[in-house]
Amino acid sequence: MRKFVPLAAGPVVALACVALLSGCGAGRSLDRARPDEFAVARQAPLVIPPDFALVPPQPGAARPQDTAANAQTLDALFGGAAARSPAESGVVADAGADNDDPGIRSSAGDPGTTVVDKGSTTRDIVAAPEGDGQDAKTTAN
């Protein structure tokens, strides 16, 4: 059977810990003035102003705070519409911005539009079926 023998250094270690911890309470960093968390100040009650000329909403009218998600995204990213700088306006004018044709998409798809023949390869690429190309096959000419 084992016999438990207490160490003689036990009381010395305990006294050292008490001495070290007692120094923590008397430091200058803990003597600063702190706010009193039990002091509660009464606030004045909230008062509704008599009139701000608010108009009740009209039935069926759009809500002013409702905007489309894409418009909110564009405003957040780019900050809304901004005027072009003189350099940007000059580049756009040099590119012929005032000579554009608003119906260009209709005339480009018109069968009577004159086109340049790029060969059968380009025609085959344009006429290729949609997809990721997994079923594509080649043939030798």
Side-chain angles (χ1 to χ4, degrees):
M1 178 171 239
R2 290 191 180 178
K3 190 179 195 184
F4 180 69
V5 178
L7 295 174
V12 175
V13 172
L15 285 176
C17 288
V18 169
L20 288 175
L21 291 176
S22 66
C24 294
R28 286 185 165 190
S29 65
L30 298 177
D31 290 340
R32 64 182 186 268
R34 291 182 203 92
D36 186 9
E37 62 269 8
F38 296 108
V40 177
R42 294 275 177 193
Q43 297 284 338
L46 295 176
V47 178
I48 299 174
D51 185 23
F52 268 125
L54 295 176
V55 181
Q58 300 296 325
R63 295 172 53 172
Q65 66 268 24
D66 284 346
T67 56
N70 59 353
Q72 289 178 351
T73 304
L74 289 175
D75 285 344
L77 289 173
F78 303 112
R84 288 187 171 150
S85 67
E88 185 180 4
S89 298
V91 169
V92 170
D94 289 344
D98 47 345
N99 298 333
D100 60 343
D101 182 12
I104 189 67
R105 292 184 183 187
S106 298
S107 62
D110 186 22
T113 303
T114 305
V115 295
V116 177
D117 185 14
K118 299 280 185 172
S120 63
T121 306
T122 305
R123 185 179 61 240
D124 293 342
I125 291 172
V126 172
E130 292 183 24
D132 57 0
Q134 293 296 323
D135 299 327
K137 294 180 181 161
T138 59
T139 57
N141 288 339

